[in-house]
Amino acid sequence: MVATNENPRPANTVQLLTAEGRFQPSETSAEYLPYLERLDENDYRRFYRDMVRVRAFDTEAANLQRQGQLGLWVPSHGQEGAQVGSARAAKPQDHLFPSYREHVVGMIRGIDPIGIIGLLRGTTHGGWDPTDPAVGNFHLYTLVIGSHTLHATGYAMGMKFDGVVGTGDPEVDAATIAYFGDGATSQGDVNEAYVFAASYQTPQVFFLQNNHWAISVPVSTQSRTPLYLRSSGFGIPGVQIDGNDVLAAYAVTAKHLDDARSGEGPSMIEALTYRMGAHTSSDDPSKYRSDDELAYWAERDPILRFRVFLEQQGVGQAFFDSADEEAADLAADIRRRTLELTSPSVASMFEHVYSEPHPLTEEQRRWFEDYEASFGGDA
Amino acid sequence: MSESKFLLPDVGEGLTEAEIVAWKVAPGEQVAVNQVIVEIETAKSLVELPSPFEGTVGELLVSEGETVEVGTPIFTVTAGGATAAAAAPEQEPEPAEQVASDAAATVSHEEEPKPGAVLVGYGSAGHGTSRRRRVTHPGTASIPVSFSGGIAPAPAAPASAPAAPAAASHAAPASAPTARPAGPVVAKPPIRKLAKDLGVDLTTVTPTGPIGDVTRDDVLREATQATVFRNIQTPEWPDDREDRIPVRGVRKAIANAMTTSAFSAPHVSLFVDVDATRTMEFVKRLKNSADFADVKVSPLLIMAKAIMWAVRRNPTVNSTWTDEEIIVHHYVNLGIAAATPRGLIVPNVKEAQSMTLLELAKALEELTLTARDGKTQPAAMSGGTITVTNIGVFGMDTGTPILNPGEVGIVALGTIKQKPWVVDGEVRPRYVTTLGASFDHRVVDGDVASRFLADVASIIEEPALLLD
Amino acid sequence: MSDVRSEAEYVEAELVETGQEDDASATDSTSLDTQAIDVVEIIESDPGSRVLEEHVAEQEWTREFVIDDEAAAAEGEDTAHHDTAHHDAQASAEVGEEAAAAEHDTSAEGDGSAAEPVAAAPEPRIQSLPMVKALNAGLRRALAEDDRVLIMGEDVGPLGGVFRVTEGLQKEFGPQRVLDTPLAEAGIIGSAIGLAMRGYRPVVEIQFNGFVFPGFDQITTQLAKMTNRHSGRMRFPVVIRIPHGGHIGAVEHHQEAPEAYFAHTAGLRVVAPSTPHDAYWMIQEAIESDDPVVFFEPMSRYWPKGEVDLVENPTPLHASRVVRTGTDATVVAWAGMVSVALRAAEIAAEEGRSIEVVDLRSLSPVDYGPVIASVQKTGRLIIAQEAPGNVSVASEVAATVAEKAFYSLESPVLRVSGFDVPFPPAKLEELYLPDADRILEAVDRALAY
């Protein structure tokens, strides 16, 4: 049940799969079940492959970091369910604004994950072109916590002004999703995004992955109330889901996106999940959290649960093997291409500082080229 | 079989070292890509390192418990088997440019590429102690004299500075000085100050600097030319019948002083011609010496020294007449007659007798500049004991100076110019000048006066006599 | 006074000549020297205004250029004429032609009110407007010419902005083009970024300069870097309008001059008009730029009137410009300080010194061409600003000029700035802010070298 001002504390988190993987919708998930009917067997398999692929990608990238190939890695390990489900609910015309951990969302929308590698290897601040249709309107990562939620809100305002909201045409009506974490909910920008979204009734879903930790600070320090309730204070209805349940993530996001596209305004989804890995490769979680907690969440791993569900649907071992193989191929491909990545050219530092020519940038670029040349070629 | 070395990476954004805690493999063992090979401890945490190579473990290069810097090779792997997941290290393309983004950018570019080279570990490896060698200089490109990089068309601005910037190499200094080009003067601020101090008009100086700038030598050259006073132009007769200038201020003071002096002290004047060639040579050598580089040196400086030397030998010329007694001073506050825009003033250099040549030169220069700026303090103009006046700068041969009230002697230095003179029995051109002096005959008789002036002349003729 | 008076005569002659040329050829009226016109400022404001007393005396001689006051007021109210005239280039030429012809008549009968009342009636090409109205006209024109231009900010709708700069715009263009936003600067700028990504050209108003800081993160970590992060594939044509400077007796945080923070940030362009004419044109050019532009509007110049040439503007957005010629020293200033510098130059002229004044106009990038040319001529540079001096735009200009014009300097580059203290209570602001005396003190110092 969605939280409203009249009923701010629904009894249950929305859940379709139990922790063990049995299909057993919770009471509060009734209104979302119809959205599952949009999915067929192929979709389910796709979800599984999505999750397995990104986990392999993640693991490989983590290894590459430990081998000195990346300065940093940002693992999404454990959050695949929330990300895959929500991403698969979005339509091509929707715009998605990630934070910096939504690797599989990008992959689903169409980015080449080597772009994420480049960002963390230090060859780019971008990694892909959000204006390229092949990239599925997946915007660049924003490393300042929460800033992008305002960009998503502004973009949604623009959609509304452009009249692509509430037309009734499923190919036209569009919405935005802003992804952010529990730590971000404390940032002023995120709260201002709620204010603006509510004021202008933007076609927008605020997708909050509560992975319980902001580096080493637990979510209890960020908030004294469940996070999904905070948005309702702004007039934005919120719902809490089991974020490791990929089906729940799909169904709830699908409904909320539909609502947004049809002009009902913004809403918020709090996906309860867990950051199984460190905040980044520079972090050491053993310093601040317990093995028990880790074990608790390991048992609720989104991939394991969904595998159980698929097995109950009759999916055979061959499929799982092929998924693993596909994932391993991806990992190997990433490894190979990572080692082949070249550094950006020196001149690129001076490109695209502005859209139009700027004399200071020009002057410095020229100076630097002369300076480099004065070392006589191969320095 | 190719051997690959694994270098300890920076695993935590700026870590510099780590301790090897536990090896998870042994030499000779087969190892797969990403297989954990070692556990290390960094400042931040305990970290497992996966192998980037597939093959047979060669050597473990660091022992457990040892701490090593980032970039240190810690183990080797010999590539084995056909299905190496990692590209052989030699085939790894070297990054195009090592564009490290922090202080460790001093990675020396002479280092050869290493297999599995750490690209992002900054650590402490590679803080070079040498700098990259320049092959060419960026040249004067960094010193644009004419700036043409405007965005809007410049309004009617004066033509850009003379002479395009020199070519890239500084090697060729400017050759023969070219004619003074049109446009604003190009000169460094210290040169401008020098010109101002020496009274040189920069717009008349021919620049010889590498970018068409006026150099120090250019200014000095201009300053030493032609000391003869020049009138610039002859004005027309004014329309008015007469000009009436009120008598006040400096003019009144001068009139009073002159009257007091002229009509209370009986003046007697003496003159002597002297060959000043050696003084001129001495002055030239002083100008070229490093010690005197920053100060004005002229024959007046030698005159001042000569006067003080002569005073030591003829003390009574350095005295004051009162009706009861003659006060002979055993110090010299040397008055210098200075022509300023407001008229003649005579500030004096206090205790000039105790100054070295350099100190005296500086004192004279400062005194002159201060007077020219009109900033001479009254205290500087009182207490003088003897005065020198340089009328040579006006082109005069000599004159009959009037005593500064309170003094009994005043010496006039005339123009120094080449004249025929007899040297060793032959007529030769020599720098000749006439020294003139006036004395108060109440104190100084003809013999003392003559001896004093002769002593001054002997220094002018042979400055080496100052080496007492 | 003699220098300035002769400039006035020069301008008048130009106008007459231009008019004669236009009689012959119907189209091109480009020869008018609007540069000199910008020097001409007519200061009129509410009686009792402190600004009025200070400026009236020095500006007496400029009154010959005032178009009849009532007609000017009527023109200011009549918005429709502006749009239709400007859409048609041919009509513009006709406007220029007729306006130039109208200029001959010094009793100023040649204003729009004497012409036909039809919508296409040519209006005077040159109008006397306060900067607020000039900005309003510029914004109106931008909104009319491009559907993607939006105005957003606190109180910009029915109130028309606390300084009335956006007055009437929401009524004309609707609440979807002119948006009142919630009170949240980060929100305003962040959502403007999102709108820009969607293809809009948002013009954001920050209500008071001291309040830009809640949005500072969105401006510097996001907006400034977006183009670079996106490798140029997306444009971020956001204009951020910020009132600037002091002299209006306001309370804390309302009289800041924070341009240095933004000029220091690569990816932003920063400009500051000093006259209504510049404001009218620069706001339009800023909106047309595909880059983020921080647009400072000097509050002390909001209400004094100046001549605006509504047809032509020869000076590009990022150009600096000599607004008074001289030979003894150069004073560089921008925004509210330009008129102070001009006043100082007037006083200096009476003392027999000739000061050249350069209006920098653009703080990032800085157009050094005219500045360096001026220093090569005069040999002495004084930079005057309202902002505190430590680590300021003047510091940067001083260092750059010292480097690029080293050989032309007869004195060290001097800066005249606000003191490095928090902006004081209003009773002290006239002591804090550099005035003509402080500029002249620096000029004296420079000339003493």
Side-chain angles (χ1 to χ4, degrees):
Chain A
M1 194 181 306
V2 174
T4 62
N5 285 336
E6 285 77 39
N7 183 12
R9 291 179 185 272
N12 283 334
T13 307
V14 174
Q15 187 189 61
L16 300 177
L17 297 177
T18 65
E20 296 75 25
R22 246 180 4 263
F23 185 77
Q24 191 174 298
S26 63
E27 282 171 30
T28 51
S29 55
E31 63 189 296
Y32 299 105
L33 290 173
Y35 290 83
L36 281 184
E37 286 157 27
R38 299 181 181 180
L39 301 175
D40 63 19
E41 219 180 78
N42 289 326
D43 292 313
Y44 290 159
R45 290 171 190 241
R46 189 173 304 120
F47 288 7
Y48 184 83
R49 286 208 300 275
D50 285 337
M51 292 195 283
V52 168
R53 269 165 53 94
V54 72
R55 187 162 291 183
F57 166 73
D58 215 286
T59 307
E60 192 65 36
N63 282 330
L64 284 165
Q65 194 280 334
R66 289 289 184 243
Q67 290 154 359
Q69 299 299 332
L70 305 180
L72 192 71
W73 179 244
V74 181
S76 62
H77 191 123
Q79 298 175 222
E80 297 88 348
Q83 294 183 9
V84 169
S86 59
R88 284 291 177 194
K91 289 190 182 175
Q93 67 268 30
D94 294 333
H95 277 252
L96 282 65
F97 289 80
S99 62
Y100 50 80
R101 206 186 289 277
E102 288 75 25
H103 313 322
V104 70
V105 175
M107 287 160 70
I108 287 170
R109 295 300 280 183
I111 68 164
D112 179 349
I114 202 72
I116 301 173
I117 296 288
L119 179 63
L120 297 167
R121 185 167 162 94
T123 59
T124 176
H125 283 321
W128 53 93
D129 176 9
T131 65
D132 180 357
V135 150
N137 300 325
F138 184 70
H139 288 267
L140 297 180
Y141 280 176
T142 298
L143 304 188
V144 178
I145 304 291
S147 296
H148 62 295
T149 55
L150 280 170
H151 308 161
T153 304
Y155 198 95
M157 286 163 68
M159 283 174 158
K160 194 165 167 184
F161 295 162
D162 284 345
V164 299
V165 179
T167 67
D169 181 345
E171 313 240 314
V172 168
D173 286 344
T176 69
I177 306 181
Y179 287 92
F180 55 108
D182 45 293
T185 61
S186 297
Q187 280 282 5
D189 281 11
V190 172
N191 287 276
E192 292 190 25
Y194 288 156
V195 166
F196 275 64
S199 181
Y200 293 102
Q201 286 295 290
T202 54
Q204 184 168 9
V205 171
F206 288 89
F207 195 92
L208 192 179
Q209 293 166 74
N210 179 355
N211 66 13
H212 289 79
W213 292 96
I215 309 188
S216 68
V217 177
V219 64
S220 56
T221 303
Q222 309 296 349
S223 176
R224 291 311 187 93
T225 186
L227 295 174
Y228 76 98
L229 290 179
R230 288 170 62 147
S231 66
S232 63
F234 290 87
I236 297 176
V239 63
Q240 189 181 70
I241 67 170
D242 179 343
N244 284 6
D245 173 354
V246 66
L247 292 183
Y250 171 82
V252 174
T253 308
K255 176 180 190 305
H256 284 245
L257 279 173
D258 271 4
D259 291 346
R261 294 192 205 100
S262 62
E264 287 185 33
S267 64
M268 195 265 249
I269 301 172
E270 179 191 1
L272 293 174
T273 179
Y274 193 77
R275 195 197 72 205
M276 290 301 289
H279 168 68
T280 68
S281 49
S282 296
D283 181 30
D284 180 5
S286 70
K287 286 184 152 50
Y288 54 81
R289 58 188 196 185
S290 70
D291 291 338
D292 288 344
E293 187 181 278
L294 204 57
Y296 172 88
W297 282 94
E299 286 168 10
R300 284 152 182 79
D301 184 272
I303 296 179
L304 289 179
R305 282 158 86 172
F306 200 59
R307 178 172 174 143
V308 168
F309 169 75
L310 288 179
E311 283 166 350
Q312 284 164 3
Q313 299 280 306
V315 174
Q317 182 64 35
F319 166 74
F320 299 114
D321 288 343
S322 85
D324 286 341
E325 215 178 285
E326 183 192 339
D329 285 346
L330 170 64
D333 181 62
I334 290 296
R335 164 166 293 272
R336 178 183 59 79
R337 288 200 287 152
T338 298
L339 299 176
E340 287 169 2
L341 281 176
T342 54
S343 288
S345 67
V346 164
S348 68
M349 209 177 2
F350 301 94
E351 284 167 12
H352 308 306
V353 180
Y354 295 89
S355 295
E356 296 166 357
H358 190 286
L360 185 61
T361 316
E362 275 309 300
E363 185 184 322
Q364 292 188 355
R365 181 183 58 76
R366 271 200 307 271
W367 182 90
F368 194 63
E369 280 172 8
D370 286 347
Y371 171 79
E372 284 295 313
S374 77
F375 291 101
D378 190 62
Chain B
M1 288 299 161
S2 53
E3 187 186 76
S4 313
K5 276 194 199 137
F6 181 42
L7 311 185
L8 182 68
D10 163 20
V11 296
E13 294 173 291
L15 297 173
T16 58
E17 61 183 22
E19 181 192 326
I20 307 300
V21 172
W23 285 106
K24 305 294 187 186
V25 295
E29 232 178 271
Q30 280 300 110
V31 68
V33 171
N34 291 339
Q35 180 179 334
V36 174
I37 40 156
V38 67
E39 200 176 54
I40 64 171
E41 178 148 16
T42 69
K44 288 191 176 184
S45 58
L46 205 57
V47 173
E48 289 179 340
L49 297 184
S51 172
F53 313 118
E54 181 182 18
T56 312
V57 177
E59 226 185 308
L60 305 179
L61 300 167
V62 181
S63 331
E64 288 180 3
E66 214 181 311
T67 299
V68 292
E69 283 184 355
V70 165
T72 308
I74 55 172
F75 89 124
T76 63
V77 168
T78 311
T83 58
E90 289 82 345
Q91 291 162 19
E92 284 172 20
E94 193 56 26
E97 284 113 13
Q98 292 272 1
V99 190
S101 63
D102 66 5
T106 48
V107 167
S108 171
H109 286 245
E110 281 83 302
E111 279 179 21
E112 53 185 0
K114 298 186 178 65
V118 170
L119 295 165
V120 293
Y122 305 114
S124 60
H127 277 292
T129 52
S130 63
R131 62 179 286 188
R132 293 160 71 187
R133 291 277 144 237
R134 310 295 293 283
V135 169
T136 58
H137 288 273
T140 54
S142 51
I143 336 167
V145 175
S146 70
F147 186 96
S148 58
I151 295 176
S160 50
S169 81
H170 279 285
S175 50
T178 54
R180 169 84 179 85
V185 171
V186 177
K188 290 187 211 171
I191 308 305
R192 292 177 180 271
K193 175 159 171 36
L194 178 68
K196 188 171 167 187
D197 290 346
L198 297 180
V200 171
D201 178 358
L202 277 175
T203 60
T204 66
V205 178
T206 304
T208 65
I211 55 167
D213 54 313
V214 175
T215 67
R216 156 170 273 276
D217 285 342
D218 293 337
V219 171
L220 292 176
R221 189 185 66 235
E222 187 72 20
T224 57
Q225 282 166 12
T227 55
V228 176
F229 179 73
R230 283 176 291 190
N231 279 320
I232 307 303
Q233 52 178 207
T234 311
E236 291 298 321
W237 284 108
D239 291 332
D240 295 336
R241 197 92 180 117
E242 60 197 18
D243 270 339
R244 285 171 174 252
I245 304 166
V247 177
R248 47 170 182 250
V250 177
R251 182 50 41 198
K252 189 164 187 173
I254 295 172
N256 287 341
M258 292 295 147
T259 313
T260 307
S261 181
F263 297 112
S264 61
H267 280 55
V268 60
S269 297
L270 303 171
F271 308 95
V272 62
D273 290 342
V274 59
D275 175 358
T277 307
R278 293 214 176 112
T279 287
M280 295 304 277
E281 284 167 2
F282 183 35
V283 167
K284 185 170 169 191
R285 279 200 290 280
L286 284 175
K287 281 185 181 179
N288 286 336
S289 83
D291 289 337
F292 286 79
D294 291 325
V295 72
K296 178 167 179 171
V297 178
S298 73
L300 182 64
L301 175 63
I302 310 305
M303 268 297 284
K305 271 295 191 185
I307 289 169
M308 290 189 286
W309 186 82
V311 161
R312 277 164 56 196
R313 293 157 67 95
N314 305 276
T316 56
V317 307
N318 188 52
S319 57
T320 300
W321 167 273
T322 74
D323 285 325
E324 288 81 37
E325 54 194 8
I326 296 166
I327 306 167
V328 179
H329 309 291
H330 295 302
Y331 58 89
V332 176
N333 287 348
L334 182 65
I336 313 290
T340 73
R342 291 181 172 166
L344 172 72
I345 62 170
V346 189
N348 55 73
V349 176
K350 310 280 188 223
E351 306 290 333
Q353 81 288 353
S354 63
M355 291 185 173
T356 64
L357 192 65
L358 182 59
E359 286 166 351
L360 186 61
K362 287 186 177 162
L364 286 175
E365 185 179 50
E366 199 196 308
L367 179 152
T368 316
L369 292 177
T370 308
R372 183 180 310 155
D373 288 347
K375 294 194 171 130
T376 306
Q377 300 297 315
M381 294 191 281
S382 66
T385 62
I386 188 168
T387 297
V388 59
T389 174
N390 183 357
I391 52 175
V393 291
F394 301 118
M396 295 301 101
D397 290 333
T398 191
T400 55
I402 296 182
L403 293 167
N404 206 16
E407 298 172 18
V408 306
I410 178 167
V411 185
L413 172 66
T415 183
I416 305 174
K417 57 191 184 201
Q418 296 216 315
K419 284 184 176 170
W421 198 256
V422 178
V423 180
D424 295 332
E426 289 183 358
V427 175
R428 301 237 194 95
R430 301 287 280 184
Y431 281 102
V432 179
T433 189
T434 305
L435 305 180
S438 297
F439 303 91
D440 182 343
H441 213 310
R442 294 175 294 185
V443 179
V444 179
D445 294 335
D447 57 341
V448 173
S450 302
R451 271 205 296 280
F452 170 79
L453 196 57
D455 284 343
V456 175
S458 59
I459 295 296
I460 297 301
E461 190 175 52
E462 180 52 85
L465 290 173
L466 284 171
L467 299 169
D468 218 25
Chain C
M1 278 302 267
S2 61
D3 274 350
V4 187
R5 196 173 283 284
S6 62
E7 265 186 80
E9 286 159 1
Y10 161 72
V11 171
E12 191 178 349
E14 276 288 301
L15 286 171
V16 169
E17 281 161 19
T18 303
Q20 287 167 350
E21 282 164 20
D22 282 353
D23 282 338
S25 65
T27 49
D28 198 8
S29 52
T30 57
S31 57
L32 189 71
D33 184 4
T34 54
Q35 175 177 326
I37 286 177
D38 295 335
V39 177
V40 172
E41 275 192 12
I42 305 110
I43 316 301
E44 294 191 16
S45 59
D46 299 331
S49 158
R50 189 174 39 160
V51 170
L52 171 64
E53 282 136 32
E54 281 179 335
H55 291 269
V56 158
E58 74 184 27
Q59 300 298 340
E60 280 300 326
W61 61 271
T62 65
R63 290 194 183 271
E64 56 197 301
F65 291 100
V66 177
I67 292 172
D68 182 70
D69 293 354
E70 282 157 11
E75 284 306 311
E77 301 307 318
D78 193 350
T79 61
H81 288 180
H82 292 245
D83 303 312
T84 53
H86 295 141
H87 279 302
D88 186 341
Q90 181 60 31
S92 299
E94 288 167 0
V95 166
E97 189 184 324
E98 299 209 25
E103 292 300 322
H104 299 165
D105 190 346
T106 53
S107 63
E109 282 164 16
D111 56 42
S113 58
E116 317 82 50
V118 179
E123 48 174 357
R125 170 178 166 164
I126 315 278
Q127 295 195 19
S128 170
L129 298 172
M131 188 184 281
V132 166
K133 298 259 182 257
L135 288 165
N136 186 277
L139 289 169
R140 174 174 287 106
R141 201 167 156 196
L143 285 164
E145 289 183 358
D146 186 349
D147 286 342
R148 306 302 278 178
V149 173
L150 301 178
I151 292 183
M152 39 195 296
E154 297 156 21
D155 304 292
V156 298
L159 186 63
V162 291
F163 291 104
R164 305 294 183 274
V165 175
T166 57
E167 188 160 59
L169 296 180
Q170 189 183 66
K171 190 158 162 220
E172 186 173 337
F173 293 94
Q176 204 154 292
R177 302 288 305 283
V178 180
L179 291 72
D180 272 335
T181 61
L183 208 170
E185 283 74 16
I188 295 170
I189 293 168
S191 56
I193 293 173
L195 282 160
M197 294 166 100
R198 182 71 188 179
Y200 284 89
R201 306 185 83 88
V203 182
V204 158
E205 175 173 308
I206 297 295
Q207 197 162 76
F208 288 104
N209 37 67
F211 301 139
V212 70
F213 297 103
F216 192 69
D217 175 64
Q218 283 287 343
I219 297 175
T220 53
T221 73
Q222 302 306 310
L223 182 59
K225 301 188 194 310
M226 280 298 209
T227 305
N228 188 251
R229 204 180 292 154
H230 284 76
S231 301
R233 291 167 186 134
M234 230 186 243
R235 304 290 163 106
F236 295 85
V238 176
V239 175
I240 303 174
R241 294 178 39 241
I242 308 180
H244 180 274
H247 292 297
I248 63 168
V251 292
E252 205 185 356
H253 308 301
H254 288 58
Q255 305 208 106
E256 306 286 317
E259 63 265 26
Y261 297 106
F262 303 100
H264 180 67
T265 304
L268 297 176
R269 294 182 185 261
V270 182
V271 300
S274 67
T275 63
H277 175 89
D278 272 349
Y280 174 74
W281 287 103
M282 287 169 77
I283 189 64
Q284 295 177 66
E285 289 169 295
I287 294 171
E288 282 159 16
S289 170
D290 276 347
D291 283 322
V293 179
V294 178
F295 191 94
F296 284 107
E297 302 168 357
M299 291 184 290
S300 64
R301 311 308 299 167
Y302 264 162
W303 290 109
K305 287 187 189 170
E307 298 219 322
V308 179
D309 180 343
L310 292 168
V311 170
E312 200 188 341
N313 173 48
T315 317
L317 180 64
H318 293 296
S320 59
R321 193 175 62 212
V322 175
V323 292
R324 182 192 170 108
T325 54
T327 55
D328 294 336
T330 302
V331 174
V332 164
W334 54 91
M337 193 57 76
V338 175
S339 59
V340 180
L342 285 170
R343 205 173 332 136
E346 274 294 296
I347 297 169
E350 284 161 23
E351 296 171 357
R353 287 154 159 192
S354 167
I355 306 292
E356 181 150 297
V357 178
V358 180
D359 182 353
L360 210 58
R361 296 171 87 251
S362 175
L363 309 178
S364 171
V366 170
D367 175 19
Y368 283 102
V371 177
I372 304 264
S374 179
V375 172
Q376 285 173 338
K377 179 170 72 162
T378 67
R380 297 168 207 273
L381 176 62
I382 294 97
I383 308 164
Q385 60 183 359
E386 292 192 28
N390 193 34
V391 195
S392 62
V393 171
S395 308
E396 176 63 27
V397 173
T400 303
V401 171
E403 183 183 332
K404 298 199 184 206
F406 179 68
Y407 289 92
S408 304
L409 290 173
E410 306 221 12
S411 59
V413 179
L414 299 177
R415 293 162 289 161
V416 182
S417 315
F419 302 110
D420 292 292
V421 301
F423 199 98
K427 288 292 184 196
L428 291 172
E429 71 170 333
E430 296 303 333
L431 294 175
Y432 169 88
L433 292 166
D435 56 8
D437 284 333
R438 291 245 289 275
I439 294 180
L440 289 169
E441 187 276 333
V443 168
D444 288 345
R445 249 188 300 146
L447 287 170
Y449 277 83

